[in-house]
Amino acid sequence: MSQLARHPFDRDVARQRLAGEASQCAVHLAVDFQGWKPTADLVSRMRCKSRNVRQLDGIGTIEFDEMAATYSCGQSFLFGSAGALQCALYNKTNQARAIDKLDYWENRWRDSDNPFEDDPANYDAAQDVYRVEFRFHHSVVEQFAQGSHDASGNILDSSTFAELANHLQGLFDYGLGNFKLLHNKRYTDPLWTILQTETRFEAPLERFVYRRYYKTARGFSGKNIELMLGNAITLFARNRMDFPSCWAALKTLPIFHLVEEYYREKGRSTTWLKKHLAKKLEERYVRYGMAA
């Protein structure tokens, strides 16, 4: 603090940091349960907009925002991208054991025993516990804050977790609808039905319509995405890169999920985008008289 006392500029910066400005929060909503195991066709039965799917069929590693854990054969599934909305379905018992927190979680599960069951101690230590988890990136939460409204048309407009706490049920229901596990082509899987009817987070203070606010295709962000892709393709052509290398480079961008979301909202798939950019790259080669 002696350094700050001698430098007014540093002192002002420190005051701003100490005061803190509310921005937005990321939200993870999870439910643990027993008596269910994933089937081999789970990925094909999951219906969602996202094309990002990861399944661990062998001994492997999956990275979370807070931890890295090793999972066993075919018991972990991750749908969606980390920068948007994700659905994770995994063996929580194995994950807790891998990070040496099984004792902690077993105590939590016993505390959550249902007193209305015939057996009060209805957590069965002999059975694995599975978890379904919806992870909302802070940018997605901001979309809900700007797009959700009550019966009078008042926007949710939250920026802190305290303001959002009464709306967790709405987010969870949105997650179940955005990622839907089917039993077959006609019916929802019983697990999803139970989660919809039995799971309760904090109830909203009043009825809200939960929607995400998107900028339109004519908006500022859409124009910048198209400009960014056009400039990138031109630079790739000038450096005589082939399209597989160009596509791989674009996918490493931390904002690539925004590109996919932008075109998805316009009714264009990632496959269409890939073909579109390949054609644009070929046009650049012709324009600059280069060979791929």
Side-chain angles (χ1 to χ4, degrees), residues 57-108:
D57 294 317
I59 301 299
T61 299
I62 186 168
E63 293 184 356
F64 289 81
D65 293 343
E66 299 86 7
M67 72 202 85
T70 302
Y71 281 66
S72 57
C73 182
Q75 297 184 3
S76 302
F77 306 87
L78 188 62
F79 305 88
S81 58
L85 172 59
Q86 282 187 322
C87 173
L89 244 172
Y90 58 98
N91 188 317
K92 181 61 181 179
T93 300
N94 286 354
Q95 187 265 341
R97 184 180 292 114
I99 61 174
D100 197 24
K101 285 190 175 181
L102 184 58
D103 290 338
Y104 167 79
W105 279 108
E106 284 191 325
N107 288 330
R108 292 288 303 273

Side-chain angles (χ1 to χ4, degrees), residues 96-134:
R97 184 180 292 114
I99 61 174
D100 197 24
K101 285 190 175 181
L102 184 58
D103 290 338
Y104 167 79
W105 279 108
E106 284 191 325
N107 288 330
R108 292 288 303 273
W109 294 326
R110 290 190 181 97
D111 289 341
S112 302
D113 282 340
N114 188 345
F116 298 102
E117 292 286 343
D118 294 335
D119 179 11
N122 45 61
Y123 163 65
D124 186 355
Q127 288 191 50
D128 285 347
V129 173
Y130 279 82
R131 168 174 289 189
V132 61
E133 181 177 346
F134 297 113

Side-chain angles (χ1 to χ4, degrees), residues 220-231:
F220 180 78
S221 62
K223 179 181 178 181
N224 278 268
I225 285 174
E226 292 174 353
L227 286 174
M228 182 273 292
L229 290 176
N231 291 332

Side-chain angles (χ1 to χ4, degrees), residues 230-241 284:
N231 291 332
I233 290 296
T234 299
L235 291 173
F236 292 152
R238 286 182 178 274
N239 284 273
R240 298 179 175 84
M241 294 173 61
R284 296 298 197 280

